[in-house]
Amino acid sequence: EAGVAQSPRYKIIEKRQSVAFWCNPISGHATLYWYQQILGQGPKLLIQFQNNGVVDDSQLPKDRFSAERLKGVDSTLKIQPAKLEDSAVYLCASSSAQGAGELFFGEGSRLTVL
Amino acid sequence: SQQGEEDPQALSIQEGENATMNCSYKTSINNLQWYRQNSGRGLVHLILIRSNEREKHSGRLRVTLDTSKKSSSLLITASRAADTASYFCATDGTSGSRLTFGEGTQLTVNP
């Protein structure tokens, strides 16, 4: 069974530039999550989708971050404009149920903002 | 703020020894999960324990949950160098479905 796919694995940009991350969840998983993990910390939920609807985006900095999940499958997370403090690993995860059962994570996209 | 807090932040042991990590949380939960993260990789689910369970085993892993103390522990028996990783607890609060992670324990198992 294919796991959660993310790209790119690494991205280096300068502050005020924009960046986009892509995630393809496990086939059939209705729930998709984007987490931000700053070095040395635990993952922090940015946004949770159930199919193509948003369940929780209360911790998403909406002035610069946006995410979409068209057709309830793939998802894209965008940051525009990036700040130095956005340097982190962006983890995508999926699960088969909305309730917090087991999450399956991708390898993450590491962003460095200079 | 994060729901779960792991203790200790870092743990270094010799191969063959047991490793115990603790997690404390603040509000009522539906379940508690433990995840493992190797350096530079994504998180991998280890075990889920529901709020009405007190203990659960999976291979060399033993998880306990004490809802009266709002705490959980993860025990890894007969540790191996390959167990070197960060371990995170995550809680699912009764008020919503958001899974909230703690800051993690960095475990180093020396060969």
Side-chain angles (χ1 to χ4, degrees):
Chain A
E1 176 183 84
V4 176
Q6 289 190 246
S7 68
R9 284 296 313 275
Y10 306 94
K11 188 74 176 178
I12 300 173
I13 61 173
E14 294 188 350
K15 59 183 179 184
R16 291 187 289 275
Q17 287 187 324
S18 63
V19 63
F21 302 112
W22 171 83
C23 172
N24 179 242
I26 291 174
S27 177
H29 279 191
T31 310
L32 185 147
Y33 312 78
W34 282 102
Y35 282 86
Q36 179 193 58
Q37 186 177 26
I38 293 172
L39 185 64
Q41 298 182 16
K44 183 184 84 171
L45 180 68
L46 293 176
I47 189 166
Q48 177 182 341
F49 292 95
Q50 176 73 13
N51 295 309
N52 60 349
V54 176
V55 173
D56 185 346
D57 64 355
S58 58
Q59 299 188 107
L60 185 75
K62 298 181 184 66
D63 58 334
R64 297 183 301 105
F65 285 65
S66 65
E68 60 182 8
R69 190 182 184 197
L70 298 177
K71 300 180 182 179
V73 181
D74 293 5
S75 178
T76 303
L77 176 70
K78 297 180 181 177
I79 307 174
Q80 182 178 14
K83 293 185 175 181
L84 297 178
E85 58 261 37
D86 297 333
S87 294
V89 176
Y90 292 87
L91 294 161
C92 180
S94 69
S95 68
S96 58
Q98 180 173 347
E102 177 180 355
L103 268 60
F104 295 82
F105 282 83
E107 298 287 10
S109 294
R110 180 177 296 277
L111 174 66
T112 301
V113 182
L114 303 175
Chain B
S1 63
Q2 297 284 7
Q3 164 77 313
E5 293 184 5
E6 286 90 343
D7 170 60
Q9 286 188 322
L11 179 62
S12 182
I13 59 174
Q14 295 299 123
E15 212 165 24
E17 294 180 338
N18 295 342
T20 300
M21 289 159 271
N22 302 296
C23 169
S24 60
Y25 56 91
K26 298 175 182 175
T27 61
S28 298
I29 61 171
N30 286 324
N31 63 61
L32 185 145
Q33 303 180 46
W34 285 91
Y35 286 80
R36 163 197 170 125
Q37 184 178 36
N38 287 66
S39 181
R41 307 295 295 274
L43 282 76
V44 175
H45 181 264
L46 295 176
I47 198 164
L48 180 153
I49 186 166
R50 303 193 186 282
S51 59
N52 61 353
E53 297 176 311
R54 291 297 166 259
E55 188 171 312
K56 206 162 183 179
H57 296 254
S58 176
R60 293 183 298 112
L61 305 180
R62 172 177 168 251
V63 169
T64 61
L65 178 64
D66 186 334
T67 54
S68 67
K69 295 181 179 179
K70 291 187 170 59
S71 67
S72 173
S73 67
L74 170 67
L75 168 67
I76 304 174
T77 60
S79 63
R80 306 165 182 168
D83 294 329
T84 294
S86 291
Y87 292 82
F88 296 90
C89 68
T91 54
D92 168 28
T94 55
S95 60
S97 60
R98 179 193 305 173
L99 193 63
T100 305
F101 287 82
E103 298 296 281
T105 292
Q106 172 62 53
L107 173 66
T108 302
V109 182
N110 302 298

